[in-house]
Each structure stands twice: as C-alpha cells, then as structure tokens.
Amino acid sequence: MKYRHEWKHEITYGDMLVLRGRLARIAERDKHTVNGKYEIRSLYFDTLTDKALKEKIDGVNIREKFRIRYYNGDLSFIKLEKKSKVNGLCRKESAFLSIESVQAILNGNYGALIGNGQPLITEFYSKITGGGLRPKTIVDYTREPFVFAPGNVRITLDYNIRSGLQNTDFLNPNSVTVSVGNAPIILEVKWDEYLPDIIRDAVQLGNCRTGAFSKYAACRIYG
C-alpha cells in the first residue's frame, strides 16, 4: 500500500456550508453513508508513556498509531487500523476484527489475537505484548465524506468531536462521550499522485489554515 498526500484545514461552520455546496456539484458522496454522513467511534491505543501522543505533539516525521473503529453503531463491521506518517505523507492499513476479539482485547485477553493470520493483527499483538500498547480513550465524531475518482481523492468534513474521557467501554453504545471544547470543524483532503485542479479550487477558502489537528490528541487533553 502506497503513501498518500494529506491536507488538513480547520474551518468554520460557514465554511462547511460553502464546501458542501461546492463538493455536491463536482464530487460523489461516499456510498456507505447514511443521509450523506456517518457516525464514527474509534478506540485509540498508546503506550504507557503515551508515545503516539507525544510524537504527534512534537511533530515527529515518522510515526504511527493504532485504533479500532466502527461506523453508525454497526458492531458487525469493526476494523483495526494502523495509520502511519512519513515526512507528511500518510498510509492506512486495516484488518477486520470480530466482536469477540474486540471484547477479548478490552478484557485484557490479548492472546485471543494469536493465530488470526492477518499480518496487521499479528503486528498489533506484538506491539501490545512487546511495546505496551493499551486502550486509551474513545473518540466519537460525525463525518461527511466525498470522493472524486481522478487522483483517488477523498474529501471529508469532520465535526462534533467527542471524547470518552479515558473511557474504553468501546462496544457499549451508551458509553458517554463529551464534546471537546473549542474543537474546530476539520476539512481533510487526501489523494495519490496528483490533486485535480477542480478539487484544489473547490476546497480553497480564504480564512482557513492548514494544520495538523489530531482528534486523538484533542480528546486526550482531558487525561
């Protein structure tokens, strides 16, 4: 799997309304959405010394983080994801996890991952046992995704970011999360070798700035 380019912009609610209108005319909605969006719940992992969090804050050029994620409350479709960054380029690898495997992880029974056969899950197990990865916090948010085939472009609008406050009861739909104070709306643009001009022009906003906003880091300010 190759690395992709990624832009992140912190935008306002007014900006989001403008972008919705522009993107609706030139791009397609992700076919997996419900009414044009989906709700994402992630459980992020980190070491006892918060290696992933510190590397993000310090802007380390080569870093990685692991998370488990599902969409729209659907516990039949849970993914383990590893997101890697190298000199500003990003790559995401994923593998499917059964609800039984996830519950075993939450119970501390990491041996349940042995023999799965998926390389990413094997790596995850080794990072748990050898690197001390542990569940840290739930991160919830709403995403509106658009896709554009030339350049394999994906544009997302993320908002309503909520933190689990160190809560790791990931499979419980009633787990309480709270809004992250002052969290902006995040525009993300990802592409392969080139970004078509029509998309580049559509996402231009005069008052937004490119940033490195991390939902995980924002949710960890509470502990």
Short mmCIF file of all heavy atoms in Angstrom, two decimals, residues 24-72:
data_model
loop_
_atom_site.label_atom_id
_atom_site.label_comp_id
_atom_site.label_asym_id
_atom_site.label_seq_id
_atom_site.Cartn_x
_atom_site.Cartn_y
_atom_site.Cartn_z
N ALA A 24 -20.86 19.02 -3.62
CA ALA A 24 -22.04 18.30 -4.10
C ALA A 24 -22.17 18.38 -5.62
O ALA A 24 -22.77 17.51 -6.25
CB ALA A 24 -23.30 18.85 -3.43
N ARG A 25 -21.60 19.43 -6.21
CA ARG A 25 -21.71 19.63 -7.65
C ARG A 25 -20.61 18.91 -8.44
O ARG A 25 -20.78 18.66 -9.64
CB ARG A 25 -21.68 21.13 -7.98
CG ARG A 25 -22.92 21.89 -7.51
CD ARG A 25 -22.98 23.28 -8.11
NE ARG A 25 -21.93 24.13 -7.59
CZ ARG A 25 -22.04 24.90 -6.51
NH1 ARG A 25 -23.19 24.91 -5.83
NH2 ARG A 25 -21.05 25.67 -6.10
N ILE A 26 -19.50 18.58 -7.80
CA ILE A 26 -18.38 18.04 -8.57
C ILE A 26 -17.91 16.65 -8.10
O ILE A 26 -17.23 15.94 -8.83
CB ILE A 26 -17.17 19.00 -8.54
CG1 ILE A 26 -16.68 19.20 -7.10
CG2 ILE A 26 -17.52 20.32 -9.20
CD1 ILE A 26 -15.41 20.04 -7.01
N ALA A 27 -18.27 16.28 -6.87
CA ALA A 27 -17.83 15.00 -6.33
C ALA A 27 -19.03 14.14 -5.96
O ALA A 27 -20.18 14.60 -6.03
CB ALA A 27 -16.94 15.23 -5.10
N GLU A 28 -18.78 12.91 -5.59
CA GLU A 28 -19.83 11.99 -5.19
C GLU A 28 -19.78 11.74 -3.68
O GLU A 28 -18.70 11.76 -3.08
CB GLU A 28 -19.68 10.65 -5.92
CG GLU A 28 -19.84 10.75 -7.43
CD GLU A 28 -19.71 9.40 -8.10
OE1 GLU A 28 -19.50 8.40 -7.38
OE2 GLU A 28 -19.81 9.35 -9.34
N ARG A 29 -20.94 11.49 -3.10
CA ARG A 29 -20.98 11.09 -1.71
C ARG A 29 -20.47 9.66 -1.59
O ARG A 29 -20.72 8.83 -2.46
CB ARG A 29 -22.42 11.14 -1.17
CG ARG A 29 -22.98 12.55 -1.05
CD ARG A 29 -22.54 13.21 0.21
NE ARG A 29 -23.23 14.48 0.44
CZ ARG A 29 -23.04 15.22 1.53
NH1 ARG A 29 -22.22 14.83 2.48
NH2 ARG A 29 -23.70 16.37 1.67
N ASP A 30 -19.77 9.39 -0.53
CA ASP A 30 -19.36 8.02 -0.24
C ASP A 30 -20.61 7.15 -0.18
O ASP A 30 -21.58 7.48 0.50
CB ASP A 30 -18.61 7.99 1.09
CG ASP A 30 -18.03 6.63 1.41
OD1 ASP A 30 -18.76 5.62 1.30
OD2 ASP A 30 -16.86 6.57 1.79
N LYS A 31 -20.61 6.02 -0.86
CA LYS A 31 -21.80 5.18 -0.96
C LYS A 31 -22.17 4.51 0.35
O LYS A 31 -23.27 3.97 0.49
CB LYS A 31 -21.59 4.12 -2.04
CG LYS A 31 -20.47 3.14 -1.75
CD LYS A 31 -20.31 2.14 -2.88
CE LYS A 31 -19.18 1.15 -2.61
NZ LYS A 31 -19.02 0.18 -3.72
N HIS A 32 -21.28 4.54 1.32
CA HIS A 32 -21.55 3.89 2.60
C HIS A 32 -22.22 4.81 3.62
O HIS A 32 -22.49 4.39 4.74
CB HIS A 32 -20.26 3.33 3.20
CG HIS A 32 -19.58 2.32 2.33
ND1 HIS A 32 -20.15 1.11 2.01
CD2 HIS A 32 -18.38 2.37 1.69
CE1 HIS A 32 -19.32 0.43 1.23
NE2 HIS A 32 -18.26 1.17 1.00
N THR A 33 -22.48 6.04 3.24
CA THR A 33 -23.05 6.99 4.19
C THR A 33 -24.54 6.73 4.40
O THR A 33 -25.21 6.06 3.61
CB THR A 33 -22.87 8.44 3.71
OG1 THR A 33 -23.57 8.60 2.45
CG2 THR A 33 -21.42 8.79 3.53
N VAL A 34 -25.05 7.29 5.47
CA VAL A 34 -26.48 7.32 5.76
C VAL A 34 -26.88 8.79 5.77
O VAL A 34 -26.42 9.57 6.60
CB VAL A 34 -26.81 6.67 7.11
CG1 VAL A 34 -28.30 6.78 7.41
CG2 VAL A 34 -26.37 5.21 7.12
N ASN A 35 -27.71 9.17 4.78
CA ASN A 35 -28.09 10.58 4.62
C ASN A 35 -26.86 11.48 4.48
O ASN A 35 -26.81 12.59 5.03
CB ASN A 35 -28.94 11.03 5.80
CG ASN A 35 -30.27 10.29 5.87
OD1 ASN A 35 -30.89 10.00 4.84
ND2 ASN A 35 -30.71 9.97 7.07
N GLY A 36 -25.87 10.97 3.75
CA GLY A 36 -24.70 11.78 3.43
C GLY A 36 -23.62 11.83 4.49
O GLY A 36 -22.62 12.54 4.32
N LYS A 37 -23.78 11.09 5.58
CA LYS A 37 -22.76 11.14 6.63
C LYS A 37 -22.76 9.83 7.40
O LYS A 37 -23.62 8.97 7.20
CB LYS A 37 -23.04 12.30 7.59
CG LYS A 37 -24.38 12.24 8.29
CD LYS A 37 -24.65 13.50 9.09
CE LYS A 37 -26.02 13.46 9.75
NZ LYS A 37 -26.32 14.71 10.49
N TYR A 38 -21.79 9.67 8.25
CA TYR A 38 -21.81 8.56 9.19
C TYR A 38 -21.15 8.95 10.50
O TYR A 38 -20.35 9.89 10.58
CB TYR A 38 -21.22 7.27 8.65
CG TYR A 38 -19.95 7.35 7.84
CD1 TYR A 38 -18.73 7.67 8.42
CD2 TYR A 38 -19.97 7.03 6.49
CE1 TYR A 38 -17.57 7.69 7.67
CE2 TYR A 38 -18.82 7.06 5.74
CZ TYR A 38 -17.62 7.39 6.33
OH TYR A 38 -16.47 7.43 5.58
N GLU A 39 -21.56 8.22 11.54
CA GLU A 39 -21.03 8.43 12.87
C GLU A 39 -19.89 7.44 13.09
O GLU A 39 -20.05 6.24 12.87
CB GLU A 39 -22.10 8.23 13.93
CG GLU A 39 -23.32 9.14 13.78
CD GLU A 39 -22.99 10.62 13.91
OE1 GLU A 39 -22.04 10.95 14.67
OE2 GLU A 39 -23.66 11.44 13.25
N ILE A 40 -18.76 7.95 13.53
CA ILE A 40 -17.57 7.13 13.73
C ILE A 40 -17.26 7.03 15.22
O ILE A 40 -17.26 8.04 15.93
CB ILE A 40 -16.36 7.72 12.99
CG1 ILE A 40 -16.60 7.71 11.47
CG2 ILE A 40 -15.08 6.96 13.33
CD1 ILE A 40 -15.50 8.35 10.67
N ARG A 41 -17.02 5.82 15.66
CA ARG A 41 -16.50 5.61 17.02
C ARG A 41 -15.16 4.89 16.90
O ARG A 41 -15.05 3.84 16.26
CB ARG A 41 -17.46 4.81 17.88
CG ARG A 41 -16.82 4.29 19.19
CD ARG A 41 -17.83 3.93 20.25
NE ARG A 41 -18.44 5.13 20.80
CZ ARG A 41 -19.25 5.14 21.86
NH1 ARG A 41 -19.58 4.00 22.44
NH2 ARG A 41 -19.76 6.27 22.30
N SER A 42 -14.13 5.45 17.52
CA SER A 42 -12.79 4.87 17.50
C SER A 42 -12.30 4.67 18.93
O SER A 42 -12.65 5.45 19.82
CB SER A 42 -11.80 5.77 16.75
OG SER A 42 -12.19 5.97 15.42
N LEU A 43 -11.49 3.66 19.11
CA LEU A 43 -10.78 3.45 20.37
C LEU A 43 -9.30 3.49 20.04
O LEU A 43 -8.80 2.66 19.27
CB LEU A 43 -11.15 2.10 20.99
CG LEU A 43 -10.40 1.75 22.28
CD1 LEU A 43 -10.73 2.74 23.39
CD2 LEU A 43 -10.72 0.32 22.73
N TYR A 44 -8.61 4.48 20.59
CA TYR A 44 -7.19 4.67 20.30
C TYR A 44 -6.32 3.96 21.33
O TYR A 44 -6.67 3.88 22.51
CB TYR A 44 -6.84 6.15 20.27
CG TYR A 44 -7.24 6.83 18.98
CD1 TYR A 44 -8.54 7.27 18.78
CD2 TYR A 44 -6.32 7.02 17.95
CE1 TYR A 44 -8.92 7.88 17.59
CE2 TYR A 44 -6.68 7.63 16.76
CZ TYR A 44 -7.99 8.06 16.59
OH TYR A 44 -8.36 8.66 15.41
N PHE A 45 -5.18 3.49 20.85
CA PHE A 45 -4.22 2.78 21.70
C PHE A 45 -2.92 3.59 21.77
O PHE A 45 -2.53 4.27 20.83
CB PHE A 45 -3.92 1.39 21.13
CG PHE A 45 -5.07 0.44 21.23
CD1 PHE A 45 -6.17 0.56 20.37
CD2 PHE A 45 -5.09 -0.56 22.18
CE1 PHE A 45 -7.24 -0.31 20.45
CE2 PHE A 45 -6.17 -1.43 22.28
CZ PHE A 45 -7.25 -1.31 21.42
N ASP A 46 -2.27 3.49 22.91
CA ASP A 46 -0.99 4.16 23.09
C ASP A 46 -0.20 3.39 24.14
O ASP A 46 -0.74 2.52 24.83
CB ASP A 46 -1.20 5.62 23.52
CG ASP A 46 -0.10 6.55 23.02
OD1 ASP A 46 1.02 6.06 22.78
OD2 ASP A 46 -0.36 7.76 22.90
N THR A 47 1.07 3.72 24.27
CA THR A 47 1.91 3.07 25.26
C THR A 47 1.69 3.69 26.63
O THR A 47 1.03 4.72 26.77
CB THR A 47 3.40 3.19 24.89
OG1 THR A 47 3.78 4.58 24.98
CG2 THR A 47 3.65 2.69 23.48
N LEU A 48 2.29 3.10 27.64
CA LEU A 48 2.17 3.62 29.00
C LEU A 48 2.79 5.01 29.11
O LEU A 48 2.42 5.80 29.97
CB LEU A 48 2.82 2.66 29.99
CG LEU A 48 2.17 1.27 30.09
CD1 LEU A 48 2.96 0.36 31.04
CD2 LEU A 48 0.72 1.39 30.54
N THR A 49 3.76 5.31 28.23
CA THR A 49 4.41 6.62 28.23
C THR A 49 3.81 7.56 27.18
O THR A 49 4.38 8.62 26.91
CB THR A 49 5.92 6.47 27.98
OG1 THR A 49 6.13 5.80 26.72
CG2 THR A 49 6.58 5.68 29.09
N ASP A 50 2.69 7.15 26.58
CA ASP A 50 2.00 7.98 25.59
C ASP A 50 2.89 8.34 24.40
O ASP A 50 2.96 9.49 23.95
CB ASP A 50 1.45 9.26 26.23
CG ASP A 50 0.28 8.99 27.14
OD1 ASP A 50 -0.46 8.02 26.89
OD2 ASP A 50 0.10 9.74 28.12
N LYS A 51 3.55 7.34 23.86
CA LYS A 51 4.48 7.56 22.74
C LYS A 51 3.79 8.20 21.54
O LYS A 51 4.29 9.18 20.96
CB LYS A 51 5.10 6.22 22.34
CG LYS A 51 6.11 6.30 21.19
CD LYS A 51 6.75 4.93 20.96
CE LYS A 51 7.81 4.98 19.85
NZ LYS A 51 7.19 5.15 18.52
N ALA A 52 2.63 7.67 21.12
CA ALA A 52 1.95 8.20 19.93
C ALA A 52 1.52 9.64 20.16
O ALA A 52 1.63 10.48 19.26
CB ALA A 52 0.75 7.33 19.58
N LEU A 53 1.00 9.93 21.34
CA LEU A 53 0.55 11.29 21.65
C LEU A 53 1.72 12.27 21.64
O LEU A 53 1.64 13.34 21.04
CB LEU A 53 -0.14 11.30 23.01
CG LEU A 53 -0.62 12.67 23.51
CD1 LEU A 53 -1.66 13.25 22.58
CD2 LEU A 53 -1.17 12.54 24.94
N LYS A 54 2.81 11.91 22.28
CA LYS A 54 3.96 12.81 22.35
C LYS A 54 4.59 13.03 20.98
O LYS A 54 5.00 14.15 20.66
CB LYS A 54 5.00 12.24 23.33
CG LYS A 54 4.53 12.29 24.78
CD LYS A 54 5.53 11.62 25.71
CE LYS A 54 5.03 11.67 27.16
NZ LYS A 54 5.95 10.95 28.07
N GLU A 55 4.67 11.97 20.16
CA GLU A 55 5.24 12.13 18.83
C GLU A 55 4.37 13.03 17.97
O GLU A 55 4.89 13.80 17.15
CB GLU A 55 5.41 10.77 18.17
CG GLU A 55 6.53 9.94 18.78
CD GLU A 55 6.73 8.61 18.10
OE1 GLU A 55 5.84 8.20 17.32
OE2 GLU A 55 7.76 7.97 18.34
N LYS A 56 3.05 12.95 18.14
CA LYS A 56 2.16 13.84 17.41
C LYS A 56 2.38 15.28 17.84
O LYS A 56 2.50 16.19 17.00
CB LYS A 56 0.70 13.42 17.65
CG LYS A 56 -0.32 14.39 17.08
CD LYS A 56 -0.20 14.50 15.58
CE LYS A 56 -1.21 15.48 15.01
NZ LYS A 56 -1.09 15.62 13.55
N ILE A 57 2.40 15.54 19.12
CA ILE A 57 2.57 16.89 19.63
C ILE A 57 3.92 17.47 19.22
O ILE A 57 4.03 18.65 18.86
CB ILE A 57 2.42 16.90 21.17
CG1 ILE A 57 0.97 16.57 21.55
CG2 ILE A 57 2.83 18.24 21.76
CD1 ILE A 57 0.75 16.36 23.02
N ASP A 58 4.95 16.62 19.22
CA ASP A 58 6.30 17.07 18.88
C ASP A 58 6.54 17.15 17.38
O ASP A 58 7.59 17.63 16.94
CB ASP A 58 7.35 16.14 19.50
CG ASP A 58 7.36 16.22 21.02
OD1 ASP A 58 6.85 17.21 21.56
OD2 ASP A 58 7.87 15.27 21.66
N GLY A 59 5.58 16.66 16.57
CA GLY A 59 5.73 16.72 15.12
C GLY A 59 6.80 15.79 14.57
O GLY A 59 7.46 16.11 13.57
N VAL A 60 6.96 14.62 15.20
CA VAL A 60 7.94 13.64 14.72
C VAL A 60 7.57 13.21 13.29
O VAL A 60 6.41 12.92 12.99
CB VAL A 60 7.98 12.42 15.66
CG1 VAL A 60 8.90 11.33 15.10
CG2 VAL A 60 8.43 12.85 17.05
N ASN A 61 8.56 13.18 12.41
CA ASN A 61 8.29 12.94 10.99
C ASN A 61 7.88 11.51 10.66
O ASN A 61 7.18 11.27 9.69
CB ASN A 61 9.52 13.31 10.15
CG ASN A 61 9.67 14.81 9.95
OD1 ASN A 61 8.68 15.53 9.97
ND2 ASN A 61 10.89 15.27 9.78
N ILE A 62 8.32 10.56 11.44
CA ILE A 62 7.98 9.16 11.22
C ILE A 62 7.27 8.65 12.47
O ILE A 62 7.88 8.56 13.54
CB ILE A 62 9.22 8.30 10.91
CG1 ILE A 62 9.95 8.84 9.67
CG2 ILE A 62 8.84 6.84 10.71
CD1 ILE A 62 11.24 8.13 9.35
N ARG A 63 5.99 8.34 12.33
CA ARG A 63 5.22 7.92 13.50
C ARG A 63 4.05 7.04 13.06
O ARG A 63 3.72 6.97 11.88
CB ARG A 63 4.72 9.13 14.30
CG ARG A 63 3.81 10.07 13.53
CD ARG A 63 3.44 11.28 14.39
NE ARG A 63 2.42 12.11 13.77
CZ ARG A 63 2.68 13.15 12.98
NH1 ARG A 63 3.94 13.47 12.71
NH2 ARG A 63 1.69 13.87 12.47
N GLU A 64 3.42 6.38 14.04
CA GLU A 64 2.30 5.51 13.77
C GLU A 64 1.35 5.50 14.96
O GLU A 64 1.73 5.85 16.08
CB GLU A 64 2.77 4.08 13.47
CG GLU A 64 3.41 3.40 14.68
CD GLU A 64 3.93 2.01 14.39
OE1 GLU A 64 4.31 1.74 13.22
OE2 GLU A 64 3.98 1.19 15.33
N LYS A 65 0.10 5.11 14.69
CA LYS A 65 -0.86 4.93 15.78
C LYS A 65 -1.86 3.86 15.38
O LYS A 65 -2.14 3.65 14.19
CB LYS A 65 -1.56 6.24 16.14
CG LYS A 65 -2.35 6.88 15.02
CD LYS A 65 -2.85 8.26 15.46
CE LYS A 65 -3.52 8.99 14.30
NZ LYS A 65 -3.85 10.40 14.64
N PHE A 66 -2.38 3.18 16.38
CA PHE A 66 -3.36 2.11 16.18
C PHE A 66 -4.70 2.51 16.77
O PHE A 66 -4.76 3.16 17.82
CB PHE A 66 -2.88 0.82 16.85
CG PHE A 66 -1.77 0.11 16.14
CD1 PHE A 66 -0.45 0.44 16.38
CD2 PHE A 66 -2.05 -0.89 15.22
CE1 PHE A 66 0.59 -0.22 15.73
CE2 PHE A 66 -1.02 -1.55 14.56
CZ PHE A 66 0.30 -1.22 14.82
N ARG A 67 -5.76 2.08 16.10
CA ARG A 67 -7.11 2.32 16.61
C ARG A 67 -8.02 1.21 16.13
O ARG A 67 -7.76 0.55 15.13
CB ARG A 67 -7.63 3.68 16.16
CG ARG A 67 -7.83 3.79 14.65
CD ARG A 67 -8.00 5.22 14.19
NE ARG A 67 -8.13 5.30 12.75
CZ ARG A 67 -7.79 6.38 12.03
NH1 ARG A 67 -7.33 7.46 12.64
NH2 ARG A 67 -7.94 6.38 10.73
N ILE A 68 -9.12 1.02 16.86
CA ILE A 68 -10.20 0.14 16.44
C ILE A 68 -11.39 1.03 16.16
O ILE A 68 -11.65 1.99 16.89
CB ILE A 68 -10.52 -0.90 17.53
CG1 ILE A 68 -9.31 -1.79 17.80
CG2 ILE A 68 -11.70 -1.76 17.13
CD1 ILE A 68 -9.50 -2.74 18.97
N ARG A 69 -12.17 0.70 15.12
CA ARG A 69 -13.19 1.65 14.67
C ARG A 69 -14.41 0.92 14.12
O ARG A 69 -14.30 -0.14 13.52
CB ARG A 69 -12.59 2.54 13.58
CG ARG A 69 -13.56 3.42 12.82
CD ARG A 69 -12.81 4.37 11.90
NE ARG A 69 -12.13 5.41 12.67
CZ ARG A 69 -11.50 6.45 12.12
NH1 ARG A 69 -11.46 6.59 10.81
NH2 ARG A 69 -10.92 7.36 12.88
N TYR A 70 -15.60 1.50 14.37
CA TYR A 70 -16.81 1.06 13.68
C TYR A 70 -17.66 2.27 13.33
O TYR A 70 -17.43 3.38 13.84
CB TYR A 70 -17.59 0.00 14.47
CG TYR A 70 -18.11 0.40 15.82
CD1 TYR A 70 -19.34 1.02 15.99
CD2 TYR A 70 -17.39 0.11 16.98
CE1 TYR A 70 -19.84 1.35 17.24
CE2 TYR A 70 -17.87 0.42 18.24
CZ TYR A 70 -19.10 1.05 18.36
OH TYR A 70 -19.58 1.37 19.60
N TYR A 71 -18.67 2.04 12.47
CA TYR A 71 -19.44 3.13 11.90
C TYR A 71 -20.93 2.93 12.17
O TYR A 71 -21.46 1.83 12.09
CB TYR A 71 -19.23 3.18 10.38
CG TYR A 71 -17.79 3.34 9.95
CD1 TYR A 71 -16.94 2.23 9.86
CD2 TYR A 71 -17.27 4.59 9.63
CE1 TYR A 71 -15.62 2.37 9.48
CE2 TYR A 71 -15.95 4.74 9.24
CZ TYR A 71 -15.13 3.62 9.17
OH TYR A 71 -13.81 3.77 8.79
N ASN A 72 -21.59 4.04 12.48
CA ASN A 72 -23.05 4.05 12.65
C ASN A 72 -23.55 2.98 13.61
O ASN A 72 -24.62 2.41 13.43
CB ASN A 72 -23.75 3.89 11.28
CG ASN A 72 -23.49 5.05 10.36
OD1 ASN A 72 -23.37 6.19 10.79
ND2 ASN A 72 -23.40 4.78 9.07
#
